[in-house]
Amino acid sequence: PGCCLLLRYFTMPQGDYIELHQKRHGFRMDHFERQRKKEARMVHKRSEFAQRVHGLRAKLLHKRRHAEKIEMKKTINMHEEKDRKHKDDGVVPEGAVPAYLMDRDGMSHAKILSNSIKQKRKEKAGKWSVPIPKVKPLSEDQMFSVIRSGKRAKKTWKRLVNKVTFVGEDFTRKPPKYERFVRPMALRSKKAHVTHPELKATFCLDIIGVKKNPQSQMYTGLGVITKGTI
């Protein structure tokens, strides 16, 4: 009987009974109103928690909130239309022009979206697949160095990454007690020099992310930049 119960427990779908009930019987009459009020109260609850919390939890919370605010401001700026004026030499005024307007250049107005071009470039960058070159594999000793930890420095499970790495803007370190791979600040890179073969010019561009590291999947996840990395 115990085995049968275990088998039934593992074969049954877990946790989707709420969605199933909503599909069959719908929502309560005041469901969406209650949801709206709950979301409105969340602002005050988050504020109260932010004032009450302290220590490492406070640091992690403020780091996350800071990243959220930056992202929100970027989104607002991207969708904000701005007026831009620029000189237009091709504009020829019709009829007679007064003497005090003779020296003035023609002006044309254009509505632009401030960051839309940058956003499109970022979206396009992830679409194209690039052939990954065959590179010489690196040994673990070259990639990592062992960090000894613990009261008597007997524990050797931590690793320090010796290569250049990329971490995103919303990256938050784990608490030092639980961090297995340490990526030093001095070896973190956010920009890369890219040379255009046709223009024969080099541009300093922002790194969007590490798509594939040919060494291993783990190095891709860590954002390690070595030879052949896309």
Side-chain angles (χ1 to χ4, degrees):
C3 293
C4 293
L5 279 170
L6 275 171
L7 282 169
R8 281 186 66 192
Y9 176 76
F10 283 118
T11 51
M12 279 174 64
Q14 303 294 316
D16 59 347
Y17 52 90
I18 294 171
E19 289 83 357
L20 192 63
H21 185 273
Q22 285 173 348
K23 279 180 184 176
R24 285 175 180 168
H25 308 289
F27 297 95
R28 282 173 51 143
M29 294 290 285
D30 60 343
H31 171 76
F32 296 105
E33 184 65 19
R34 283 163 66 95
Q35 285 288 102
R36 186 189 63 78
K37 286 182 177 178
K38 189 178 180 182
E39 284 172 15
R41 283 195 299 270
M42 276 301 294
V43 181
H44 302 289
K45 285 190 175 182
R46 285 171 78 177
S47 173
E48 187 190 347
F49 179 72
Q51 290 173 41
R52 196 162 27 88
V53 74
H54 56 83
L56 186 62
R57 287 179 76 193
K59 283 185 180 179
L60 294 172
L61 173 76
H62 294 314
K63 178 92 174 174
R64 191 174 71 246
R65 288 288 296 133
H66 180 64
E68 283 173 12
K69 283 178 182 176
I70 290 169
E71 196 63 37
M72 188 169 64
K73 280 182 182 177
K74 280 184 181 177
T75 311
I76 290 165
N77 289 338
M78 190 178 69
H79 290 96
E80 192 178 29
E81 285 191 345
K82 294 180 180 176
D83 286 328
R84 186 181 65 172
K85 294 180 181 179
H86 61 272
K87 290 182 181 180
D88 194 353
D89 298 328
V91 174
V92 179
E94 293 179 5
V97 181
Y100 60 86
L101 291 177
M102 290 289 286
D103 296 332
R104 291 194 186 179
D105 297 317
M107 301 291 288
S108 69
H109 297 259
K111 288 269 184 185
I112 58 157
L113 286 169
S114 55
N115 280 341
S116 60
I117 297 165
K118 289 181 188 175
Q119 196 65 27
K120 280 177 185 174
R121 279 181 190 165
K122 282 184 182 179
E123 287 168 4
K124 279 183 182 177
K127 287 181 181 176
W128 315 112
S129 58
V130 184
I132 299 163
K134 289 181 181 178
V135 291
K136 186 182 174 184
L138 292 168
S139 65
E140 198 172 317
D141 297 333
Q142 289 175 288
M143 192 68 77
F144 304 115
S145 56
V146 179
I147 299 176
R148 291 185 171 273
S149 58
K151 191 175 179 182
R152 291 172 181 81
K154 285 191 174 182
K155 295 178 181 177
T156 57
W157 57 274
K158 286 192 176 188
R159 297 287 181 271
L160 182 77
V161 182
N162 293 329
K163 300 291 178 185
V164 175
T165 55
F166 168 76
V167 292
E169 290 179 7
D170 57 344
F171 169 72
T172 307
R173 278 185 68 182
K174 287 182 183 177
K177 189 177 179 181
Y178 307 112
E179 193 175 30
R180 176 160 164 71
F181 296 103
V182 181
R183 289 173 278 189
M185 285 288 290
L187 289 174
R188 291 186 198 171
S189 181
K190 289 187 178 178
K191 290 184 179 288
H193 292 290
V194 181
T195 304
H196 198 288
E198 290 176 8
L199 297 175
K200 293 182 180 177
T202 305
F203 304 97
C204 185
L205 302 173
D206 291 325
I207 300 171
I208 298 164
V210 176
K211 196 85 174 171
K212 178 79 177 175
N213 189 315
Q215 299 291 337
S216 82
Q217 189 65 36
M218 185 178 71
Y219 299 156
T220 307
L222 287 170
V224 179
I225 300 170
T226 53
K227 190 178 179 181
T229 304
I230 297 168

